[in-house]
Amino acid sequence: MILSIESSCDDSAISITEIATNKLLFHKKISQELEHSVYGGVVPELAARLHAEALPKILAQCEPYFQELKAVAVTSSPGLAVTLIEGVTLAKAVSVALDIPLIGVNHLIGHIYSLFIEKEAVFPLTVLLVSGGHTQVMEVNSLSDIKTVAKSMDDSFGESFDKVAKMMGLGYPGGPAIERLAQEGDRKKYDFTVPLLRTPKLAFSYSGLKNAVRLAVEKSEEKDYKDIAASFEHIATKHLTHKLKKYFATHPPKNFAIVGGASANLYLRSQIQELLKPYKANLLLSDLAYCSDNAAMIGRVAVEMYKKKMFTSVEDLDITPKSNI
Ligand code: KG4
Ligand code: ZN
């Protein structure tokens, strides 16, 4: 069994995964959404303090498994420095106390493996990662063969939902709130410009759209918010499908996946489904419970890393807040 810890942002989570079967034996997450909601976004120092309280509480519930643990895994990159350190410090303590190897897991690879919780992995895979911190397209052939082909130059897809929600006073996280509001609105009412429409560059950008939405919000009344939300969601999604269509012209997908917190968005899912039709590609999605940050996905990666003995010593495991993927 492997114990895995996730604390890269605002979710304190610990899981236990059986190595031979990928079975999830224990899974607990304490979310800090409510605490950050009043600020309209994650406050790193508050998040760190809440992890320091929550992680030891969850770990105590894992005690019955301690004797059978073969390794401890933890998200060490990317994420908020002050919150990553909470998980890594705890993982090091467990590694030393139980004399078991330590595995440092990349959170983005975790999101990819959220597709394979309690399942076998499927490759090759073209992945669209849409989370609060990242928007990127990756070609994934194996655990160690991951190539990023496009990423955001500024804000991420999820982050733009958070910022639009904040403008409308809807709290944090903004994704689910905007999605709910958009369902009642007219997607064609506001003619926002699709970002990077005229450049051939394979990249994403959400800061211009965010500013256009800000102007619309400032000029309008609350009763118009649903139309703004619907039009924003439509254009934010169209930006993704437009760039993906360009990429597919030279790299037709076989297996395509959407992962990350924002992959829960139903409008995005439906538009990607439409886009994939001509290619007859399989669409892989994580269970809704594992789209947002969790420790089960970290545990699933750790099973693969354990089999390859990809361990790091307690002295050498460091946090790397910026992604190297
Ligand atoms: O993967 P995740 O839990 O954390 C990061 O690794 O960043 O993703 C959180 C992000 C937030 O920005 C949140 O607003 C967004 O995912 N999100 C959504 C939806 N549910 C969550 N965005 C759009 N539509 C949703 N339904
Ligand atoms: Zn994440």
Side-chain angles (χ1 to χ4, degrees), residues 6 8-9 107-108 111 129 131-134 260-261 291-294 297:
E6 158 63 38
S8 67
C9 191
H107 181 82
L108 307 191
H111 275 301
L129 166 68
S131 67
H134 298 85
C291 288
S292 59
D293 291 350
N294 64 82
M297 67 187 197

Side-chain angles (χ1 to χ4, degrees), residues 131-272:
S131 67
H134 298 85
T135 301
Q136 62 193 68
V137 180
M138 293 168 280
E139 287 293 357
V140 186
N141 290 310
S142 70
L143 176 69
S144 49
D145 183 355
I146 301 174
K147 198 171 106 206
T148 296
V149 294
K151 58 163 77 173
S152 178
M153 304 190 298
D154 42 59
D155 293 352
S156 75
F157 181 80
E159 188 181 5
S160 69
F161 279 70
D162 294 333
K163 289 185 174 163
V164 169
K166 191 176 177 183
M167 293 169 204
M168 296 181 178
L170 296 176
Y172 173 86
I178 293 291
E179 179 172 22
R180 238 174 282 125
L181 198 60
Q183 279 160 0
E184 299 163 21
D186 176 358
R187 298 194 186 282
K188 301 282 161 65
K189 186 77 179 278
Y190 286 81
D191 195 14
F192 298 124
T193 308
V194 179
L196 308 182
L197 195 58
R198 282 176 226 302
T199 127
K201 197 172 170 176
L202 214 58
F204 303 106
S205 167
Y206 281 97
S207 67
L209 175 61
K210 172 189 71 187
N211 290 330
V213 173
R214 187 186 304 284
L215 289 177
V217 169
E218 282 169 5
K219 274 197 224 148
S220 68
E221 294 171 32
E222 207 171 321
K223 65 174 171 39
D224 305 320
Y225 285 3
K226 55 184 190 310
D227 295 330
I228 298 178
S231 305
F232 157 71
E233 186 180 55
H234 173 60
I235 297 301
T237 305
K238 200 163 175 186
H239 178 31
L240 293 176
T241 53
H242 169 248
K243 288 294 175 190
L244 282 170
K245 194 171 178 185
K246 272 213 147 79
Y247 178 63
F248 290 169
T250 48
H251 298 79
K254 199 169 150 217
N255 298 304
F256 188 85
I258 327 173
V259 301
S263 70
N265 186 288
L266 295 180
Y267 183 67
L268 170 66
R269 287 180 171 205
S270 70
Q271 296 307 103
I272 295 279

Side-chain angles (χ1 to χ4, degrees), residues 6 10 12 28 32 64 80 97-98 106 115 148 178 239 254:
E6 158 63 38
D10 61 337
S12 314
K28 177 113 199 210
Q32 308 172 355
L80 299 169
L98 300 179
N106 181 300
L115 298 162
T148 296
I178 293 291
H239 178 31
K254 199 169 150 217

Side-chain angles (χ1 to χ4, degrees), residues 46-112:
L46 173 61
R49 192 170 59 69
L50 294 170
H51 284 308
E53 281 171 22
L55 289 173
K57 269 191 209 155
I58 310 177
L59 185 67
Q61 297 174 22
C62 300
E63 226 181 303
Y65 299 96
F66 279 3
Q67 288 315 310
E68 289 179 74
L69 292 180
K70 295 280 183 272
V72 53
V74 61
T75 302
S76 55
S77 174
L80 299 169
V82 289
T83 64
L84 285 170
I85 199 87
E86 293 295 332
V88 168
T89 306
L90 188 65
K92 286 183 178 183
V94 172
S95 169
V96 171
L98 300 179
D99 194 22
I100 52 176
L102 183 61
I103 301 174
V105 177
N106 181 300
H107 181 82
L108 307 191
I109 302 181
H111 275 301
I112 297 170

Side-chain angles (χ1 to χ4, degrees), residues 291-321:
C291 288
S292 59
D293 291 350
N294 64 82
M297 67 187 197
I298 304 304
R300 182 63 187 85
V301 178
V303 165
E304 302 298 324
M305 293 179 76
Y306 179 85
K307 288 177 184 164
K308 293 182 163 54
K309 293 198 166 37
M310 294 166 76
F311 307 138
T312 311
S313 72
V314 166
E315 294 73 32
D316 289 341
L317 184 66
D318 218 343
I319 57 158
T320 314

